[in-house]
PDB file of all heavy atoms in Angstrom:
ATOM      1  N   LEU B 131     -26.317  21.746  19.142  1.00 98.00           N
ATOM      2  CA  LEU B 131     -26.526  21.130  17.830  1.00 98.00           C
ATOM      3  C   LEU B 131     -27.796  21.624  17.148  1.00 98.00           C
ATOM      4  O   LEU B 131     -27.810  21.884  15.948  1.00 98.00           O
ATOM      5  CB  LEU B 131     -26.554  19.600  17.972  1.00 98.00           C
ATOM      6  CG  LEU B 131     -26.711  18.815  16.674  1.00 98.00           C
ATOM      7  CD1 LEU B 131     -25.564  19.089  15.720  1.00 98.00           C
ATOM      8  CD2 LEU B 131     -26.808  17.311  16.956  1.00 98.00           C
ATOM      9  N   LEU B 135     -28.036  23.250  13.429  1.00 98.00           N
ATOM     10  CA  LEU B 135     -28.797  22.659  12.321  1.00 98.00           C
ATOM     11  C   LEU B 135     -29.868  23.615  11.803  1.00 98.00           C
ATOM     12  O   LEU B 135     -30.155  23.637  10.594  1.00 98.00           O
ATOM     13  CB  LEU B 135     -29.414  21.325  12.757  1.00 98.00           C
ATOM     14  CG  LEU B 135     -28.400  20.234  13.147  1.00 98.00           C
ATOM     15  CD1 LEU B 135     -29.125  18.944  13.533  1.00 98.00           C
ATOM     16  CD2 LEU B 135     -27.400  19.961  12.026  1.00 98.00           C
ATOM     17  N   ILE B 138     -27.991  26.002   9.545  1.00 98.00           N
ATOM     18  CA  ILE B 138     -27.601  25.361   8.283  1.00 98.00           C
ATOM     19  C   ILE B 138     -28.818  25.259   7.358  1.00 98.00           C
ATOM     20  O   ILE B 138     -28.734  25.522   6.160  1.00 98.00           O
ATOM     21  CB  ILE B 138     -26.971  23.971   8.550  1.00 98.00           C
ATOM     22  CG1 ILE B 138     -25.638  24.146   9.307  1.00 98.00           C
ATOM     23  CG2 ILE B 138     -26.737  23.217   7.241  1.00 98.00           C
ATOM     24  CD1 ILE B 138     -25.111  22.866   9.935  1.00 98.00           C
ATOM     25  N   VAL B 166     -22.237  20.765  21.234  1.00 98.00           N
ATOM     26  CA  VAL B 166     -22.404  20.343  19.837  1.00 98.00           C
ATOM     27  C   VAL B 166     -21.829  18.945  19.629  1.00 98.00           C
ATOM     28  O   VAL B 166     -22.510  18.048  19.111  1.00 98.00           O
ATOM     29  CB  VAL B 166     -21.718  21.348  18.871  1.00 98.00           C
ATOM     30  CG1 VAL B 166     -21.681  20.796  17.448  1.00 98.00           C
ATOM     31  CG2 VAL B 166     -22.437  22.689  18.899  1.00 98.00           C
ATOM     32  N   ASN B 169     -23.703  16.180  21.536  1.00 97.00           N
ATOM     33  CA  ASN B 169     -24.990  15.890  20.932  1.00 97.00           C
ATOM     34  C   ASN B 169     -24.845  15.080  19.638  1.00 97.00           C
ATOM     35  O   ASN B 169     -25.685  14.235  19.319  1.00 97.00           O
ATOM     36  CB  ASN B 169     -25.717  17.211  20.645  1.00 97.00           C
ATOM     37  CG  ASN B 169     -27.175  17.124  21.046  1.00 97.00           C
ATOM     38  OD1 ASN B 169     -27.798  16.084  20.896  1.00 97.00           O
ATOM     39  ND2 ASN B 169     -27.709  18.219  21.544  1.00 97.00           N
ATOM     40  N   ILE B 170     -23.770  15.354  18.891  1.00 98.00           N
ATOM     41  CA  ILE B 170     -23.524  14.568  17.674  1.00 98.00           C
ATOM     42  C   ILE B 170     -23.248  13.110  18.053  1.00 98.00           C
ATOM     43  O   ILE B 170     -23.783  12.175  17.457  1.00 98.00           O
ATOM     44  CB  ILE B 170     -22.344  15.156  16.858  1.00 98.00           C
ATOM     45  CG1 ILE B 170     -22.742  16.503  16.261  1.00 98.00           C
ATOM     46  CG2 ILE B 170     -21.900  14.187  15.760  1.00 98.00           C
ATOM     47  CD1 ILE B 170     -21.628  17.239  15.538  1.00 98.00           C
ATOM     48  N   ARG B 171     -22.420  12.921  19.097  1.00 97.00           N
ATOM     49  CA  ARG B 171     -22.119  11.543  19.539  1.00 97.00           C
ATOM     50  C   ARG B 171     -23.386  10.823  19.990  1.00 97.00           C
ATOM     51  O   ARG B 171     -23.590   9.642  19.711  1.00 97.00           O
ATOM     52  CB  ARG B 171     -21.064  11.570  20.658  1.00 97.00           C
ATOM     53  CG  ARG B 171     -19.660  11.868  20.157  1.00 97.00           C
ATOM     54  CD  ARG B 171     -18.610  11.654  21.247  1.00 97.00           C
ATOM     55  NE  ARG B 171     -18.673  12.680  22.275  1.00 97.00           N
ATOM     56  CZ  ARG B 171     -17.973  13.826  22.255  1.00 97.00           C
ATOM     57  NH1 ARG B 171     -17.154  14.071  21.248  1.00 97.00           N
ATOM     58  NH2 ARG B 171     -18.087  14.706  23.214  1.00 97.00           N
ATOM     59  N   LEU B 173     -26.464  11.447  18.936  1.00 97.00           N
ATOM     60  CA  LEU B 173     -27.239  11.130  17.720  1.00 97.00           C
ATOM     61  C   LEU B 173     -26.731   9.870  17.035  1.00 97.00           C
ATOM     62  O   LEU B 173     -27.507   9.031  16.587  1.00 97.00           O
ATOM     63  CB  LEU B 173     -27.113  12.274  16.715  1.00 97.00           C
ATOM     64  CG  LEU B 173     -28.219  13.303  16.596  1.00 97.00           C
ATOM     65  CD1 LEU B 173     -27.982  14.159  15.360  1.00 97.00           C
ATOM     66  CD2 LEU B 173     -29.583  12.640  16.509  1.00 97.00           C
ATOM     67  N   GLN B 174     -25.397   9.766  16.964  1.00 96.00           N
ATOM     68  CA  GLN B 174     -24.787   8.622  16.298  1.00 96.00           C
ATOM     69  C   GLN B 174     -25.176   7.309  16.941  1.00 96.00           C
ATOM     70  O   GLN B 174     -25.310   6.295  16.270  1.00 96.00           O
ATOM     71  CB  GLN B 174     -23.265   8.747  16.371  1.00 96.00           C
ATOM     72  CG  GLN B 174     -22.645   9.461  15.206  1.00 96.00           C
ATOM     73  CD  GLN B 174     -21.140   9.412  15.337  1.00 96.00           C
ATOM     74  OE1 GLN B 174     -20.595  10.011  16.267  1.00 96.00           O
ATOM     75  NE2 GLN B 174     -20.480   8.714  14.443  1.00 96.00           N
ATOM     76  N   LEU B 181     -34.919   8.895  15.840  1.00 97.00           N
ATOM     77  CA  LEU B 181     -34.443  10.158  15.264  1.00 97.00           C
ATOM     78  C   LEU B 181     -35.543  11.208  15.092  1.00 97.00           C
ATOM     79  O   LEU B 181     -35.293  12.403  15.220  1.00 97.00           O
ATOM     80  CB  LEU B 181     -33.740   9.905  13.924  1.00 97.00           C
ATOM     81  CG  LEU B 181     -32.462   9.051  13.999  1.00 97.00           C
ATOM     82  CD1 LEU B 181     -31.869   8.861  12.606  1.00 97.00           C
ATOM     83  CD2 LEU B 181     -31.430   9.678  14.924  1.00 97.00           C
ATOM     84  N   LEU B 188     -34.660  18.838  18.953  1.00 96.00           N
ATOM     85  CA  LEU B 188     -33.581  19.737  18.505  1.00 96.00           C
ATOM     86  C   LEU B 188     -34.120  20.945  17.738  1.00 96.00           C
ATOM     87  O   LEU B 188     -33.401  21.917  17.518  1.00 96.00           O
ATOM     88  CB  LEU B 188     -32.605  18.978  17.581  1.00 96.00           C
ATOM     89  CG  LEU B 188     -31.670  17.951  18.218  1.00 96.00           C
ATOM     90  CD1 LEU B 188     -30.967  17.141  17.138  1.00 96.00           C
ATOM     91  CD2 LEU B 188     -30.647  18.636  19.106  1.00 96.00           C
ATOM     92  N   LEU B 192     -35.964  16.349  10.184  1.00 96.00           N
ATOM     93  CA  LEU B 192     -35.580  14.942  10.303  1.00 96.00           C
ATOM     94  C   LEU B 192     -34.461  14.607   9.322  1.00 96.00           C
ATOM     95  O   LEU B 192     -33.521  13.886   9.647  1.00 96.00           O
ATOM     96  CB  LEU B 192     -36.803  14.054  10.058  1.00 96.00           C
ATOM     97  CG  LEU B 192     -36.545  12.534  10.065  1.00 96.00           C
ATOM     98  CD1 LEU B 192     -35.933  12.083  11.389  1.00 96.00           C
ATOM     99  CD2 LEU B 192     -37.834  11.768   9.789  1.00 96.00           C
ATOM    100  N   GLU B 193     -34.559  15.168   8.127  1.00 96.00           N
ATOM    101  CA  GLU B 193     -33.594  14.873   7.065  1.00 96.00           C
ATOM    102  C   GLU B 193     -32.154  15.203   7.508  1.00 96.00           C
ATOM    103  O   GLU B 193     -31.238  14.386   7.368  1.00 96.00           O
ATOM    104  CB  GLU B 193     -33.982  15.704   5.840  1.00 96.00           C
ATOM    105  CG  GLU B 193     -33.401  15.207   4.562  1.00 96.00           C
ATOM    106  CD  GLU B 193     -33.713  16.171   3.414  1.00 96.00           C
ATOM    107  OE1 GLU B 193     -34.361  17.210   3.639  1.00 96.00           O
ATOM    108  OE2 GLU B 193     -33.271  15.868   2.300  1.00 96.00           O
ATOM    109  N   ILE B 194     -31.971  16.391   8.072  1.00 97.00           N
ATOM    110  CA  ILE B 194     -30.623  16.814   8.454  1.00 97.00           C
ATOM    111  C   ILE B 194     -30.141  16.027   9.681  1.00 97.00           C
ATOM    112  O   ILE B 194     -28.960  15.678   9.794  1.00 97.00           O
ATOM    113  CB  ILE B 194     -30.566  18.355   8.656  1.00 97.00           C
ATOM    114  CG1 ILE B 194     -29.130  18.867   8.574  1.00 97.00           C
ATOM    115  CG2 ILE B 194     -31.199  18.801   9.946  1.00 97.00           C
ATOM    116  CD1 ILE B 194     -29.044  20.372   8.391  1.00 97.00           C
ATOM    117  N   VAL B 195     -31.081  15.684  10.563  1.00 97.00           N
ATOM    118  CA  VAL B 195     -30.743  14.875  11.740  1.00 97.00           C
ATOM    119  C   VAL B 195     -30.296  13.472  11.299  1.00 97.00           C
ATOM    120  O   VAL B 195     -29.324  12.917  11.824  1.00 97.00           O
ATOM    121  CB  VAL B 195     -31.937  14.816  12.720  1.00 97.00           C
ATOM    122  CG1 VAL B 195     -31.726  13.752  13.795  1.00 97.00           C
ATOM    123  CG2 VAL B 195     -32.152  16.181  13.368  1.00 97.00           C
ATOM    124  N   GLN B 196     -30.983  12.930  10.301  1.00 97.00           N
ATOM    125  CA  GLN B 196     -30.578  11.619   9.766  1.00 97.00           C
ATOM    126  C   GLN B 196     -29.182  11.675   9.160  1.00 97.00           C
ATOM    127  O   GLN B 196     -28.391  10.745   9.312  1.00 97.00           O
ATOM    128  CB  GLN B 196     -31.591  11.155   8.700  1.00 97.00           C
ATOM    129  CG  GLN B 196     -32.884  10.618   9.301  1.00 97.00           C
ATOM    130  CD  GLN B 196     -33.968  10.410   8.259  1.00 97.00           C
ATOM    131  OE1 GLN B 196     -34.055  11.146   7.264  1.00 97.00           O
ATOM    132  NE2 GLN B 196     -34.825   9.419   8.491  1.00 97.00           N
ATOM    133  N   GLU B 197     -28.876  12.802   8.512  1.00 97.00           N
ATOM    134  CA  GLU B 197     -27.557  12.941   7.894  1.00 97.00           C
ATOM    135  C   GLU B 197     -26.455  12.950   8.964  1.00 97.00           C
ATOM    136  O   GLU B 197     -25.428  12.278   8.831  1.00 97.00           O
ATOM    137  CB  GLU B 197     -27.499  14.225   7.046  1.00 97.00           C
ATOM    138  CG  GLU B 197     -26.219  14.296   6.239  1.00 97.00           C
ATOM    139  CD  GLU B 197     -26.044  15.607   5.486  1.00 97.00           C
ATOM    140  OE1 GLU B 197     -27.039  16.313   5.244  1.00 97.00           O
ATOM    141  OE2 GLU B 197     -24.878  15.919   5.164  1.00 97.00           O
ATOM    142  N   VAL B 198     -26.674  13.716  10.042  1.00 97.00           N
ATOM    143  CA  VAL B 198     -25.676  13.784  11.116  1.00 97.00           C
ATOM    144  C   VAL B 198     -25.539  12.417  11.803  1.00 97.00           C
ATOM    145  O   VAL B 198     -24.439  11.980  12.149  1.00 97.00           O
ATOM    146  CB  VAL B 198     -26.033  14.886  12.132  1.00 97.00           C
ATOM    147  CG1 VAL B 198     -25.041  14.907  13.293  1.00 97.00           C
ATOM    148  CG2 VAL B 198     -26.077  16.250  11.454  1.00 97.00           C
ATOM    149  N   HIS B 199     -26.671  11.729  11.971  1.00 98.00           N
ATOM    150  CA  HIS B 199     -26.664  10.384  12.553  1.00 98.00           C
ATOM    151  C   HIS B 199     -25.761   9.453  11.739  1.00 98.00           C
ATOM    152  O   HIS B 199     -24.976   8.671  12.284  1.00 98.00           O
ATOM    153  CB  HIS B 199     -28.103   9.856  12.571  1.00 98.00           C
ATOM    154  CG  HIS B 199     -28.235   8.387  12.848  1.00 98.00           C
ATOM    155  ND1 HIS B 199     -27.971   7.845  14.092  1.00 98.00           N
ATOM    156  CD2 HIS B 199     -28.592   7.365  12.046  1.00 98.00           C
ATOM    157  CE1 HIS B 199     -28.162   6.527  14.021  1.00 98.00           C
ATOM    158  NE2 HIS B 199     -28.538   6.216  12.802  1.00 98.00           N
ATOM    159  N   LYS B 200     -25.857   9.591  10.417  1.00 96.00           N
ATOM    160  CA  LYS B 200     -25.117   8.709   9.521  1.00 96.00           C
ATOM    161  C   LYS B 200     -23.623   9.071   9.446  1.00 96.00           C
ATOM    162  O   LYS B 200     -22.757   8.209   9.512  1.00 96.00           O
ATOM    163  CB  LYS B 200     -25.740   8.791   8.106  1.00 96.00           C
ATOM    164  CG  LYS B 200     -25.533   7.535   7.284  1.00 96.00           C
ATOM    165  CD  LYS B 200     -26.333   7.576   5.995  1.00 96.00           C
ATOM    166  CE  LYS B 200     -25.478   8.134   4.870  1.00 96.00           C
ATOM    167  NZ  LYS B 200     -26.222   8.422   3.639  1.00 96.00           N
ATOM    168  N   THR B 201     -23.337  10.393   9.306  1.00 95.00           N
ATOM    169  CA  THR B 201     -21.951  10.811   9.056  1.00 95.00           C
ATOM    170  C   THR B 201     -21.169  11.071  10.339  1.00 95.00           C
ATOM    171  O   THR B 201     -19.942  11.064  10.334  1.00 95.00           O
ATOM    172  CB  THR B 201     -21.909  12.105   8.219  1.00 95.00           C
ATOM    173  OG1 THR B 201     -22.574  13.143   8.967  1.00 95.00           O
ATOM    174  CG2 THR B 201     -22.586  11.932   6.884  1.00 95.00           C
ATOM    175  N   GLY B 202     -21.883  11.362  11.445  1.00 96.00           N
ATOM    176  CA  GLY B 202     -21.187  11.667  12.693  1.00 96.00           C
ATOM    177  C   GLY B 202     -20.519  13.032  12.692  1.00 96.00           C
ATOM    178  O   GLY B 202     -19.641  13.302  13.508  1.00 96.00           O
ATOM    179  N   LYS B 203     -20.923  13.894  11.760  1.00 95.00           N
ATOM    180  CA  LYS B 203     -20.414  15.264  11.793  1.00 95.00           C
ATOM    181  C   LYS B 203     -21.421  16.239  11.215  1.00 95.00           C
ATOM    182  O   LYS B 203     -22.354  15.845  10.537  1.00 95.00           O
ATOM    183  CB  LYS B 203     -19.054  15.374  11.102  1.00 95.00           C
ATOM    184  CG  LYS B 203     -19.052  15.066   9.607  1.00 95.00           C
ATOM    185  CD  LYS B 203     -17.631  14.989   9.086  1.00 95.00           C
ATOM    186  CE  LYS B 203     -16.862  16.297   9.135  1.00 95.00           C
ATOM    187  NZ  LYS B 203     -17.385  17.397   8.328  1.00 95.00           N
ATOM    188  N   LEU B 204     -21.193  17.527  11.482  1.00 97.00           N
ATOM    189  CA  LEU B 204     -22.063  18.538  10.887  1.00 97.00           C
ATOM    190  C   LEU B 204     -21.870  18.515   9.370  1.00 97.00           C
ATOM    191  O   LEU B 204     -20.789  18.194   8.886  1.00 97.00           O
ATOM    192  CB  LEU B 204     -21.690  19.940  11.407  1.00 97.00           C
ATOM    193  CG  LEU B 204     -22.077  20.299  12.833  1.00 97.00           C
ATOM    194  CD1 LEU B 204     -21.589  21.721  13.154  1.00 97.00           C
ATOM    195  CD2 LEU B 204     -23.580  20.222  13.039  1.00 97.00           C
ATOM    196  N   PRO B 205     -22.917  18.890   8.612  1.00 97.00           N
ATOM    197  CA  PRO B 205     -22.753  18.908   7.154  1.00 97.00           C
ATOM    198  C   PRO B 205     -21.881  20.066   6.655  1.00 97.00           C
ATOM    199  O   PRO B 205     -21.571  20.130   5.475  1.00 97.00           O
ATOM    200  CB  PRO B 205     -24.186  19.048   6.622  1.00 97.00           C
ATOM    201  CG  PRO B 205     -25.066  19.262   7.788  1.00 97.00           C
ATOM    202  CD  PRO B 205     -24.285  19.172   9.042  1.00 97.00           C
ATOM    203  N   VAL B 206     -21.503  20.990   7.535  1.00 98.00           N
ATOM    204  CA  VAL B 206     -20.608  22.095   7.149  1.00 98.00           C
ATOM    205  C   VAL B 206     -19.484  22.189   8.180  1.00 98.00           C
ATOM    206  O   VAL B 206     -19.543  21.578   9.242  1.00 98.00           O
ATOM    207  CB  VAL B 206     -21.356  23.454   7.059  1.00 98.00           C
ATOM    208  CG1 VAL B 206     -22.524  23.376   6.091  1.00 98.00           C
ATOM    209  CG2 VAL B 206     -21.817  23.925   8.432  1.00 98.00           C
TER     210      VAL B 206
END
Side-chain angles (χ1 to χ4, degrees):
Chain B
L131 182 61
L135 298 181
I138 294 165
V166 170
N169 224 324
I170 291 175
R171 285 190 289 269
L173 261 191
Q174 269 185 294
L181 296 179
L188 288 170
L192 176 58
E193 199 186 1
I194 200 165
V195 168
Q196 283 169 327
E197 188 186 339
V198 177
H199 167 70
K200 207 171 93 190
T201 61
K203 64 189 294 297
L204 286 179
V206 303

